[in-house]
Amino acid sequence: MKEKKQKFKQVLSVFIIFVLTFIMTCGCSTEERKEKVKSNEVPFAILEENDDGVKAKLYYWDLEHKKIKDESKIMYTIPKKDVPSEIYKKSPILWDGKEYLVVPSYVKVSQDYQGDVEKVEIPLQEKIIWGKGVKLISKGEDRYILVLRENNKNKEMEVAIPPYFFKGGDGKEYSAKETGTIAGIIKNGNDVFMLYSCFIPGEGKIYSKLLILKYDLETKGVEWKEVKIPEDLELSPALPPLPNNTTSIEKSFFIPTLTVPAEVNIDSMELKPVSGMIEYQKKYIPEAIKSAMPVNIEILRSYENILLLGIQIVKPTEPPELYVFALIDGEMMGLLHKTVKGIELIDQENKVVGTYDIPRSTGFGGGRDIIFPNTSGTDSI
């Protein structure tokens, strides 16, 4: 009888340890596992065009299993009637990939999209810059309205940004407002960070400056800092960092340069190239089309901690194509190839692991009928 009790206790102990281990590693992480699945699935929309207008159809790019999921949902439609052609293709202004969607007022959001929708008039008298959880409305004369977004509710406050002057390479003094543009905005804790890209004309050369304005939401204090730009990364007024080509992940802005997209970290205040991207470009772009390589690698946007970069391939006699790289901390997690016929998914071994017959709209050049989530945007056309 003693032996049976002892054996029972041993079995019970093993069972309890197993249950506790399960709870610690799995049981309490059901939501974490769901979040992991979600974070490995990048939402995107394909714009399908017809005679009446454009509709945005929702898909998911599963990076872990290297598949594309068709949600059979229409996010929104854009009627061509009474909407200028140069405007109706520029939607959405901002989409977080989940609920929050900012679109022009003429966009008709579908009942399939049960999210938080903000509609704006375009063009506006006021310039607005959106960031993740924050937006900045210009009121002129260095006055702004800062709108903080939490739990689908807005909190507004008036912000005064005093003029800031700095010395250029020629020793002269310049104004951040007159030489620069706000390229992006980040809210981090009790601080809001604004990235200014400035260009200063010089003798035979245009000098560039990157400045970050830190605004303390509690003290209302303003602090300016300059970002260190290495010599091998050149910024150009021909390709300036703007809200439409800049994105952010956590404490970093990602901006275009003349060679490769670069990261501006608000802690280190340094500009550095996105690691590995040049090597990925060499490895995954076929040799046969390298003669048609683009001038630059584009920032397509970001979702959660995933940076989405694009390489457009323009061919002399064929329609353009688009390669989309999904990176996490500089490591390639997936590659999507937008072709004339549809979409190919390519793995890290450079093998095609999936093909999808997704119709392409001829009105959008170079695979531009694909939309990814973005953490920044502006109402300016």
Side-chain angles (χ1 to χ4, degrees):
M1 190 72 177
K2 266 186 174 183
E3 289 180 1
K4 284 186 177 180
K5 282 185 178 181
Q6 188 69 24
K7 192 171 182 180
F8 175 76
K9 286 181 179 179
Q10 289 175 348
V11 172
L12 184 62
S13 298
V14 171
F15 178 75
I16 291 172
I17 291 172
F18 171 79
V19 171
L20 289 173
T21 303
F22 176 80
I23 290 172
M24 291 172 66
T25 58
C26 302
C28 66
S29 61
T30 302
E31 291 303 316
E32 290 176 10
R33 289 203 309 276
K34 286 181 181 178
E35 192 59 37
K36 181 175 180 291
V37 171
K38 288 179 184 177
S39 66
N40 285 328
E41 291 183 352
V42 180
F44 67 93
I46 294 291
L47 299 179
E48 298 180 3
E49 189 176 22
N50 55 35
D51 293 338
D52 297 325
V54 170
K55 60 182 179 181
K57 189 176 180 182
L58 183 63
Y59 294 85
Y60 282 89
W61 176 12
D62 187 335
L63 298 178
E64 184 176 356
H65 301 99
K66 296 177 175 54
K67 294 180 179 179
I68 288 180
K69 300 177 181 179
D70 184 350
E71 289 293 295
S72 299
K73 290 182 179 179
I74 302 299
M75 289 176 59
Y76 58 82
T77 58
I78 307 175
K80 284 185 179 179
K81 186 180 179 182
D82 301 326
V83 179
S85 60
E86 70 273 11
I87 292 179
Y88 83 87
K89 296 177 183 179
K90 293 185 179 292
S91 296
I93 296 171
L94 184 140
W95 174 40
D96 66 358
K98 296 177 181 178
E99 294 184 350
Y100 189 40
L101 179 69
V102 181
V103 291
S105 58
Y106 52 77
V107 171
K108 295 182 179 179
V109 180
S110 169
Q111 292 182 349
D112 287 340
Y113 187 83
Q114 300 298 319
D116 183 17
V117 180
E118 179 180 351
K119 288 192 172 186
V120 297
E121 295 293 334
I122 290 184
L124 286 180
Q125 297 298 317
E126 299 173 323
K127 182 179 180 181
I128 303 177
I129 295 175
W130 280 265
K132 190 174 183 181
V134 62
K135 70 179 177 182
L136 189 72
I137 305 172
S138 174
K139 291 292 185 179
E141 298 300 325
D142 301 316
R143 289 176 54 250
Y144 299 88
I145 297 295
L146 193 62
V147 183
L148 307 177
R149 191 172 189 82
E150 294 179 1
N151 300 321
N152 296 344
K153 293 182 179 179
N154 290 338
K155 178 184 177 182
E156 296 187 4
M157 62 180 70
E158 188 165 331
V159 176
I161 300 178
Y164 178 75
F165 298 90
F166 60 89
K167 283 190 177 181
D170 55 4
K172 296 180 182 179
E173 199 171 63
Y174 293 92
S175 162
K177 180 182 178 181
E178 292 176 359
T179 62
T181 303
I182 301 177
I185 182 170
I186 292 176
K187 180 183 179 296
N188 187 265
N190 290 320
D191 298 316
V192 171
F193 297 87
M194 303 174 202
L195 177 67
Y196 279 71
S197 61
C198 305
F199 294 95
I200 311 147
E203 294 182 5
K205 184 178 180 180
I206 295 179
Y207 297 92
S208 58
K209 288 276 186 184
L210 283 177
L211 304 170
I212 287 185
L213 180 151
K214 175 184 174 183
Y215 183 83
D216 190 312
L217 295 170
E218 291 184 347
T219 66
K220 316 299 182 189
V222 174
E223 181 182 5
W224 290 86
K225 288 185 178 180
E226 184 174 338
V227 178
K228 297 176 184 176
I229 303 177
E231 293 183 0
D232 58 343
L233 283 178
E234 185 179 354
L235 301 181
S236 169
L239 188 66
L242 297 169
N244 287 333
N245 64 11
T246 297
T247 193
S248 64
I249 296 176
E250 296 179 346
K251 290 186 175 183
S252 292
F253 293 101
F254 292 87
I255 66 172
T257 75
L258 286 180
T259 51
V260 64
E263 176 183 0
V264 181
N265 184 274
I266 61 179
D267 285 336
S268 66
M269 297 299 294
E270 292 181 345
L271 180 70
K272 61 180 183 179
V274 174
S275 61
M277 194 54 210
I278 295 296
E279 286 70 25
Y280 294 143
Q281 176 179 324
K282 292 176 182 177
K283 179 178 178 180
Y284 294 103
I285 304 300
E287 288 285 343
I289 57 176
K290 280 189 176 177
S291 59
M293 288 298 287
V295 175
N296 65 298
I297 302 167
E298 299 176 65
I299 298 172
L300 294 180
R301 297 309 184 190
S302 63
Y303 176 66
E304 299 295 330
N305 64 336
I306 301 168
L307 179 63
L308 300 161
L309 302 181
I311 294 178
Q312 185 182 19
I313 303 299
V314 180
K315 300 180 180 181
T317 57
E318 299 177 36
E321 299 179 3
L322 182 69
Y323 286 83
V324 181
F325 292 79
L327 308 179
I328 296 180
D329 295 329
E331 182 182 352
M332 195 192 88
M333 307 303 293
L335 176 57
L336 183 152
H337 180 203
K338 190 84 171 61
T339 69
V340 178
K341 297 180 180 179
I343 289 178
E344 295 178 344
L345 293 186
I346 300 169
D347 66 9
Q348 283 82 350
E349 283 72 45
N350 207 7
K351 295 179 181 177
V352 176
V353 292
T355 57
Y356 298 86
D357 183 18
I358 297 176
R360 176 173 176 177
S361 296
T362 56
F364 299 86
R368 300 308 184 194
D369 54 343
I370 187 168
I371 292 174
F372 290 99
N374 55 323
T375 57
S376 66
T378 179
D379 54 26
S380 300
I381 297 297

